[in-house]
Amino acid sequence: RGGPRASEASLVAVESAAKPHAELDGLSGSQVSASACAASKGASGKGAMSDGDPRTKALAALGLVCVSSTVGILYKISQATSGGFKYSTTSAIAIAEMVKFGMSTFFHIGDASHHTDSEGKVPSAIGVLRSQLSMSAIGHIWCLAGLYTMNNQLSFYVYMLADPGTIFLFKAASTMIVASIQCFCLGKQFSGEQWKAMGLQAVGMVIVQYNPCKSEARYNPVAYLLMSLSAVLTALCAVRNEYLVKNYKIGLNVQNMVMYSGGIWMNIFAFMFLPNPNSTQAGLGFFDGFNNPLAIGVVFANAMIGLAITAVYKYADAVTKCIASDVTAVVLCIVSTFFFELASSVTMWCGVLVVCFAVHFYTSASMPAPRAPAQPPKAQQARELDLKQATEGSEGSVVDTPEQEEAQLLGKPTK
């Protein structure tokens, strides 16, 4: 799904279920996304993830870094000087969901896999919707959309309490929270190396955020509590995504259409009936504040982030995504040091390096072991023959001459 997502924790989601639905996310709200994981699964089936052009991988990663960094910066600078945002955050996400719904509908109608000569594009697209969707499926997808809605609004609030670099880095180090939820809810198993890497991530985050001179953290404990809550919601999204993948066969574009439609009405409902602590004024209208380019930028970035992550999984791989998330966190830490009052120190940057190293340690531990190359048939036969000869020789049997060995390998009768 588009919109802000979590960072390294998304790798846990990507591998959690044969999974066409995880977004990794170096962003704010949920890490799991239907579009990114499906692209990941589809690309792996075609070998795109392993054999992609390095320049294409680099461009996809660069695009993700740019969009992710833009999201983090826009969320911070679009706030009012008196606190809160100058626009309604629920209406901003609702508008972004409308844009994504339109894109998903366009992609679904243009999907050639369901086109027939006897039926037009639109009727065939409607037929696919009817055949793949049920009330149960829609309910489960909207449940996932509800988690995303809560996480997106929570992310806006967190940006009022902490700087973008800290938020992105925290999400890179929150893998342990996601993994613990998956162990409890799904029974997912992690190796000892993975748990060590996750523990190292947490230690690195403590190094970054603890000020030994003042014996206190950089921010109010409430900020860390809310960032942890966001990681929990991220893990629940991973659980819901895995359930959808295992129990329903729904196309990517169809699922996205249903998910974004749910996001639209949920955010509109929240705008109309629920108080929004993110806005500076309780009486803001739906389109109030959108004459500001920063507010329009927030909508545009939320609409584009899903495409950027999908491109990484389609044309690159999870490691590239991991590197892009690390680069984003470091870039935002640098930006926050200069513009958002993040106090820089040698200890802080050592902690940043520890988190980035631990993220890659976890990624390496998650990779399957390389398969041994298959031996040619003749080489295998020669090995079996050598073993047989060694056994016979130890029992006092006569060892074949080189001519007899060659004859046996070629299938000729021996003298």
Side-chain angles (χ1 to χ4, degrees):
R1 228 172 93 88
R5 301 286 181 269
S7 94
E8 160 54 20
S10 60
L11 292 175
V12 181
V14 169
E15 56 177 24
S16 69
K19 308 178 173 160
H21 299 297
E23 183 169 303
L24 303 167
D25 323 185
L27 309 175
S28 49
S30 330
Q31 102 228 34
V32 183
S33 140
S35 57
C37 267
S40 173
K41 183 178 179 182
S44 62
K46 299 176 183 178
M49 292 179 68
S50 58
D51 301 326
D53 182 4
R55 289 177 298 179
T56 305
K57 287 185 177 183
L59 287 175
L62 179 61
L64 179 58
V65 170
C66 292
V67 176
S68 301
S69 302
T70 301
V71 169
I73 294 171
L74 283 174
Y75 271 40
K76 193 66 178 179
I77 64 176
S78 62
Q79 298 175 25
T81 54
S82 58
F85 293 85
K86 301 176 183 179
Y87 54 89
S88 170
T89 56
T90 50
S91 67
I93 297 299
I95 296 171
E97 299 289 81
M98 293 176 190
V99 175
K100 289 182 284 187
F101 176 80
M103 290 191 296
S104 297
T105 303
F106 177 79
F107 294 149
H108 176 58
I109 295 175
D111 187 358
S113 63
H114 58 72
H115 292 169
T116 61
D117 296 334
S118 59
E119 199 173 20
K121 293 182 179 180
V122 174
S124 64
I126 295 175
V128 171
L129 287 174
R130 291 176 176 174
S131 63
Q132 293 186 358
L133 293 177
S134 63
M135 293 304 298
S136 174
I138 293 174
H140 283 293
I141 295 174
W142 277 358
C143 177
L144 183 60
L147 291 172
Y148 287 142
T149 300
M150 289 187 288
N151 215 354
N152 284 331
Q153 297 306 314
L154 178 60
S155 298
F156 278 107
Y157 190 77
V158 169
Y159 271 92
M160 295 193 300
L161 304 177
D163 65 273
T166 294
I167 294 171
F168 272 66
L169 198 65
F170 185 91
K171 292 181 182 301
S174 63
T175 316
M176 182 175 289
I177 298 175
V178 179
S180 300
I181 298 262
Q182 289 193 324
C183 282
F184 179 77
C185 297
L186 302 175
K188 182 173 175 59
Q189 300 296 319
F190 297 92
S191 67
E193 288 76 11
Q194 288 174 308
W195 283 112
K196 291 176 184 176
M198 289 184 277
L200 189 58
Q201 291 174 22
V203 170
M205 195 64 206
V206 172
I207 294 174
V208 173
Q209 292 299 309
Y210 185 73
N211 187 336
C213 297
K214 297 181 179 180
S215 298
E216 62 182 16
R218 293 179 182 272
Y219 295 107
N220 190 297
V222 174
Y224 300 109
L225 178 64
L226 293 179
M227 284 189 278
S228 299
L229 177 59
S230 178
V232 171
L233 290 176
T234 286
L236 293 177
C237 289
V239 173
R240 298 305 306 170
N241 264 308
E242 180 162 351
Y243 181 87
L244 285 171
V245 170
K246 288 184 175 180
N247 293 276
Y248 296 95
K249 293 182 179 180
I250 304 175
L252 166 64
N253 293 320
V254 173
Q255 179 169 334
N256 282 344
M257 289 171 63
V258 177
M259 189 178 300
Y260 297 145
S261 67
I264 293 171
W265 73 258
M266 289 178 190
N267 280 283
I268 292 177
F269 178 87
F271 170 80
M272 296 179 63
F273 299 106
L274 299 179
N276 189 351
N278 298 330
S279 301
T280 55
Q281 303 174 16
L284 279 174
F286 191 85
F287 294 104
D288 286 352
F290 287 100
N291 56 339
N292 187 333
L294 295 177
I296 298 175
V298 169
V299 173
F300 180 77
N302 271 283
M304 293 297 106
I305 187 64
L307 294 179
I309 295 177
T310 299
V312 169
Y313 279 110
K314 182 175 182 180
Y315 298 110
D317 49 37
V319 176
T320 304
K321 169 64 182 66
C322 170
I323 294 172
S325 298
D326 288 349
V327 172
T328 301
V330 173
V331 167
L332 288 177
C333 282
I334 295 173
V335 172
S336 297
T337 299
F338 285 99
F339 299 103
F340 301 126
E341 301 179 353
L342 176 63
S344 178
S345 66
V346 174
T347 303
M348 186 199 81
W349 288 111
C350 287
V352 170
L353 292 177
V354 169
V355 173
C356 293
F357 171 79
V359 166
H360 287 277
F361 182 24
Y362 175 86
T363 305
S364 300
S366 304
M367 294 297 174
R371 295 182 180 179
Q375 294 183 334
K378 288 186 177 181
Q380 181 66 23
Q381 291 177 9
R383 289 189 60 187
E384 293 176 356
L385 182 60
D386 291 341
L387 181 60
K388 179 180 179 181
Q389 289 176 352
T391 305
E392 291 176 350
S394 64
E395 295 175 354
S397 302
V398 178
V399 179
D400 292 338
T401 64
E403 292 78 7
Q404 289 174 325
E405 293 178 6
E406 182 179 359
Q408 289 181 6
L409 285 175
L410 297 176
K412 297 179 181 179
T414 58
K415 297 181 180 180

